[in-house]
Amino acid sequence: ASQGLQYPARIAAKAWVELPMPAAFRLGIGWDVTPTFALHAQAALIRYSAVQDLVVTLQSADFAQPQLGLGDTTAIALARNWVDTVEAELLAVWRPSEGLRLGVRGGYHSPMSPDSTMDLLSIDGHRLIGGLMLRKAFGGFAVSGLVGGHYVLPRTVVASDYDRGNGTYTLTILHANVGLEWRW
């Protein structure tokens, strides 16, 4: 303020975050154990260590300070220092009749955020995943559904540079997907 820089107490702004997509190495294998039962396994290495920071861009007329040469847009780089992760998943599929498939999915994903960069923007930890799958074929059409969840095990953080309160983080995500296939 001594140099003329003055912002309103509250600023409304548009914000967007650029999330670089890290490289992923995946390996999967499937095995028809019997004519009615199959197993599918997948393992992955995700190179999150390539993401050093997330850039948050904010735009608001309230940021503009033309007398000081400042525009209406600013960017903030939030250090992430993420680490590489591993994933392991298993899918068991039962085919009780022609055109009907029922499946159960389970797996584990390791965390990408170190304690030092944990905050509400990157709730992360050891993740357990599970789901149920149904697929029914009708000639050239098929309808499929998947319900599942991701559960981040409780993680107590005491050394975050961004969450001054630190504390225990946990997260549960539930999802449902429906798909329609048409083959010609």
Side-chain angles (χ1 to χ4, degrees), residues 15-178:
W16 58 94
V17 178
E18 298 173 24
L19 178 61
M21 297 306 293
F25 304 99
R26 297 187 181 277
L27 176 64
I29 188 167
W31 177 36
D32 286 335
V33 180
T34 70
T36 60
F37 182 72
L39 287 174
H40 304 270
Q42 171 185 292
L45 170 68
I46 315 295
R47 300 274 303 156
Y48 283 109
S49 61
V51 179
Q52 295 303 308
D53 32 50
L54 294 179
V55 178
V56 179
T57 303
L58 303 164
Q59 183 178 34
S60 173
D62 292 338
F63 287 141
Q65 300 286 312
Q67 66 277 20
L68 297 175
L70 300 175
D72 67 350
T73 303
T74 189
I76 302 167
L78 300 174
R80 294 292 97 180
N81 301 322
W82 285 342
V83 298
D84 296 340
T85 65
V86 294
E87 298 177 358
E89 296 183 21
L90 184 64
L91 173 65
V93 179
W94 177 46
R95 297 182 290 261
S97 65
E98 185 65 34
L100 180 62
R101 292 183 186 176
L102 303 171
V104 176
R105 174 184 174 216
Y108 165 80
H109 296 185
S110 68
M112 65 185 167
S113 285
D115 280 1
S116 63
T117 62
M118 279 290 289
D119 58 20
L120 291 176
L121 183 63
S122 62
I123 295 175
D124 188 30
H126 297 278
R127 183 180 305 227
L128 301 177
I129 64 166
L132 299 172
M133 178 198 83
L134 168 79
R135 182 178 184 277
K136 177 65 178 157
F138 305 93
F141 290 92
V143 177
S144 61
L146 173 69
V147 294
H150 290 229
Y151 177 65
V152 175
L153 297 173
R155 178 178 177 182
T156 300
V157 176
V158 296
S160 175
D161 294 336
Y162 298 106
D163 181 357
R164 296 297 176 202
N166 287 291
T168 301
Y169 293 84
T170 189
L171 178 69
T172 301
I173 301 170
L174 301 175
H175 61 87
N177 305 64
V178 176

